[in-house]
Amino acid sequence: ARLGNPQEKLKFVHIAGTNGKGSCAAMLASICRCAGWRTGLYTSPDLVDFSERIQIDGVRIAPGDTARLTARIAAAAEKLPPLSFFELVTALAFLYFAEQRCDIVILECGLGGRFDATNVIRTAEASVIMPVGLDHTAVLGSTLDRIAGEKAGVVKPGRPVVCAPQLSQALAPIRARCAELDAPLHTVEPKDIRVLSDSLSGQDFRFGGRPPLHISLLGAHQLENAAAAVLTAGLLGLDGECIRAGLAAARWPCRFELMAQRPPLVLDGAHNPHGAAALAAGLRHYFP
């Protein structure tokens, strides 16, 4: 509020979930860029450099902008209770995206959803809930249904929700929250995904009755992440050519990333049971 509520000048797609948030966000941002929209992308954590967290049309925030806006935030935060690093960075992102007049912001939750700093936004063009697994259990709860209930906190009244494939105990609280808020629920059905080709150079697939699509990201789970991005893009009114070109151009490092071929060197950031299972499945599939 002290900064003038910059988030209220922006349109968002809000993405929650345990794994796949960043991949879906990267693919959706690429699709929006291909549509000619000025597209903000907010993700966490960074891998190498802080500026990865805040990007517009694939260009990271400049150090000078980070310093200038951080000074504004520091002044606004005086006499407030201490803010977390993530709260401060989220405020920085909202300020930057509003100042740069983004047409759309792809906004990834940091942790959970209901009490996440990003959930200060009042509405969204769509909310997306990626696969829910066990992670951050000390904060979010020790069971899938409790964790999913926290993730479902990003559902906004009357606004559409896209849900990636979930285990039944995770899907139930998401369905209940959507019903409570009269939010239309669109689910990714694995049976609607048909693999056409799959190699270390990428994957070609069909989703529903759409023409063939290509992604460079590897692993069966990335097809489901891509399908969630495709469903969301459709809700935003984007057409098939934007979706095709955006998916093909999307890159997201450290997700079963092939760094070298002789010998094969794969870099992956899996850090919870759900992510580790996807990594193991990919290793068995590509390197039997």
Side-chain angles (χ1 to χ4, degrees):
R2 291 187 179 192
L3 293 168
N5 286 311
Q7 74 279 6
E8 295 186 2
K9 302 170 186 173
L10 297 162
K11 293 181 178 181
F12 298 96
V13 173
H14 202 185
I15 303 180
T18 302
N19 291 305
K21 299 190 301 294
S23 296
C24 180
M27 288 187 268
L28 190 55
S30 184
I31 291 169
C32 291
R33 288 200 302 273
C34 285
W37 291 354
R38 187 163 174 78
T39 304
L41 176 62
Y42 182 59
T43 59
S44 61
D46 53 270
L47 295 173
V48 178
D49 185 85
F50 170 84
S51 62
E52 297 166 28
R53 294 170 177 255
I54 301 171
Q55 304 183 32
I56 297 177
D57 291 342
V59 179
R60 301 173 186 176
I61 188 171
D65 288 320
T66 299
R68 175 175 56 83
L69 295 175
T70 298
R72 281 187 59 189
I73 293 166
E78 282 186 11
K79 299 180 182 178
L80 288 177
L83 301 179
S84 71
F85 170 77
F86 189 75
E87 286 174 315
L88 293 168
V89 177
T90 301
L92 171 63
F94 288 152
L95 270 181
Y96 184 62
F97 293 143
E99 177 185 272
Q100 297 296 314
R101 299 188 176 184
C102 288
D103 298 314
I104 191 85
V105 173
I106 312 303
L107 183 69
E108 180 190 347
C109 283
L111 193 157
R114 187 162 63 114
F115 294 123
D116 191 74
T118 61
N119 209 31
V120 70
I121 67 172
R122 296 187 184 186
T123 189
E125 302 307 294
S127 298
V128 184
I129 302 179
M130 300 306 291
V132 174
L134 295 176
D135 199 8
H136 302 295
T137 52
V139 177
L140 301 178
S142 58
T143 61
L144 279 183
D145 59 329
R146 288 191 62 182
I147 295 172
E150 293 297 320
K151 307 287 187 186
V154 301
V155 176
K156 304 296 186 290
R159 304 306 301 159
V161 177
V162 170
C163 188
Q166 307 283 355
L167 294 173
S168 58
Q169 56 264 53
L171 183 58
I174 295 169
R175 283 193 183 280
R177 184 63 174 165
C178 289
E180 179 186 345
L181 296 180
D182 197 25
L185 177 62
H186 305 261
T187 58
V188 173
E189 301 296 338
K191 63 180 175 56
D192 293 333
I193 300 171
R194 183 160 65 92
V195 180
L196 302 176
S197 67
D198 181 9
S199 70
L200 292 173
S201 61
Q203 304 186 81
D204 295 284
F205 69 104
R206 284 185 182 273
F207 177 47
R210 298 167 181 82
L213 299 166
H214 175 82
I215 58 172
S216 64
L217 297 168
L218 302 178
H221 59 290
Q222 292 293 4
L223 296 175
E224 296 180 351
N225 295 342
V230 170
L231 272 186
T232 308
L235 292 172
L236 297 176
L238 299 179
D239 64 25
E241 179 53 29
C242 293
I243 292 170
R244 186 201 63 77
L247 283 184
R251 301 290 182 269
W252 197 233
C254 287
R255 278 72 177 178
F256 210 94
E257 183 178 8
L258 189 67
M259 304 295 289
Q261 298 219 24
R262 295 185 180 178
L265 173 61
V266 172
L267 191 59
D268 193 281
H271 60 278
N272 53 48
H274 187 259
L279 170 58
L283 289 170
R284 286 192 296 268
H285 176 71
Y286 292 107
F287 303 104

